[in-house]
């Protein structure tokens, strides 16, 4: 990687985490952390709950719970993150915690049965090799403040792809069960019959990542780009890192979707009965 595109070294000690006054001022202008921000956030959450509930989407309570959980979880992370990133081992445990929560979230979104534990396979298959590659070639410093955010981005992408692909594949199999049976009658193996029916539906789970990559810089400026700019990186450095993140997410999510399809095809992750609670 050329010198001007090298990822800037990220400090790992609490003393080095202090933000320069000019950068702190620019961050404050972006979204100043004041009581007004808290009030506006609360109003927006209530508006989202009202729209999801009154609009007959059936997710009003889910939106409220998600918002309140985000408050608690971000407060906890903000309280411990400076201490955690000072140790690579504690950082690794923190990443393991993120991975475990992602597996449970994605798995339970796919199915309430015991097969939800298989969500570890698609998430791990995409994320672990990517982190190993980045650490192995030296693009990602072996420091908590570097590993945690990158791992979080990749795990989050794999979580979304896994839950979407699994849910869509299983829903398609349940709705088109007759076609699966017809394929079996024609001599298809059970795995091939399932994949023939659900592959296209599951593949649409990659669309959000594709849209984000296609429209980057034209519709949105993603978090990694903005965060690096606020952290003092040049626009070229920020753009290079953001491009890498987007491409890495495409790779991770593609792997996750392929593995999910294999799990569904082999019957390791099965659909819940029609009308079952999620």
């Amino acid at each position: 990687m050329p010198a001007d595109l090298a990822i800037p070294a990220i400090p790992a000690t609490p003393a080095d985490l202090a933000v320069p006054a000019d950068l702190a001022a620019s961050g404050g202008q972006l979204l100043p952390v004041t009581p007004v921000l808290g009030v506006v956030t609360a109003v927006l959450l209530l508006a989202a709950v009202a729209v999801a509930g009154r609009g007959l989407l059936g997710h009003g309570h889910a939106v409220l719970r998600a918002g309140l959980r985000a408050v608690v979880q971000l407060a906890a992370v903000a309280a411990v993150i400076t201490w955690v990133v000072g140790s690579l081992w504690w950082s690794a445990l923190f990443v393991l915690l993120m991975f475990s929560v992602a597996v449970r979230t994605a798995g339970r979104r796919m199915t309430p049965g015991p097969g939800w534990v298989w969500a570890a396979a698609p998430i791990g298959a995409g994320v672990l090799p990517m982190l190993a590659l980045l650490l192995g070639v030296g693009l990602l410093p072996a420091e908590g403040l570097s590993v945690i955010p990158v791992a979080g981005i990749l795990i989050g992408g794999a979580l979304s792809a896994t839950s979407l692909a699994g849910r869509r594949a299983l829903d398609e199999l349940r709705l088109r069960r007759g076609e699966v049976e017809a394929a079996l009658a024609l001599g298809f193996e059970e795995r091939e019959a399932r994949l023939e029916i659900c592959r296209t539906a599951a593949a649409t789970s990659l669309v959000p990542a594709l849209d984000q990559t296609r429209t980057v810089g034209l519709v949105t400026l993603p978090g990694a780009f903005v965060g690096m700019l606020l952290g003092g990186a040049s626009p070229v450095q920020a753009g290079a890192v953001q491009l890498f993140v987007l491409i890495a997410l495409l790779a991770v999510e593609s792997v996750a979707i392929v593995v999910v399809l294999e799990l569904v095809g082999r019957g390791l992750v099965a659909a819940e009965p029609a009308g079952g609670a999620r």
Side-chain angles (χ1 to χ4, degrees), residues 239-263:
V241 172
Q242 182 63 69
L243 175 63
F244 173 80
V245 168
L246 291 172
I247 300 302
L249 280 173
L250 282 177
V252 166
E253 294 186 29
S254 297
V255 170
I257 292 170
V258 169
V259 175
V260 166
L261 278 170
E262 190 64 28
L263 293 173

Side-chain angles (χ1 to χ4, degrees), residues 32 64 86 102 111 132 136 156 158 167 176-177 244 249 252 276:
L64 179 60
T111 175
R167 189 70 263 160
R176 301 171 63 186
R177 180 60 191 170
F244 173 80
L249 280 173
V252 166

Side-chain angles (χ1 to χ4, degrees), residues 95-157:
V95 170
L96 181 60
L97 174 63
M98 290 193 295
F99 178 81
S100 301
V101 173
V103 168
R104 179 170 176 79
T105 301
R108 300 299 288 182
R109 182 65 64 184
M110 288 192 295
T111 175
W116 70 263
V117 298
W118 283 102
I123 296 176
V127 173
L128 296 181
M130 184 65 68
L131 286 177
L133 173 64
L134 293 177
L135 290 169
V137 300
L139 279 177
L140 185 64
E143 301 172 351
L145 198 57
S146 299
V147 173
I148 288 176
V150 172
I153 292 172
L154 297 179
I155 291 173

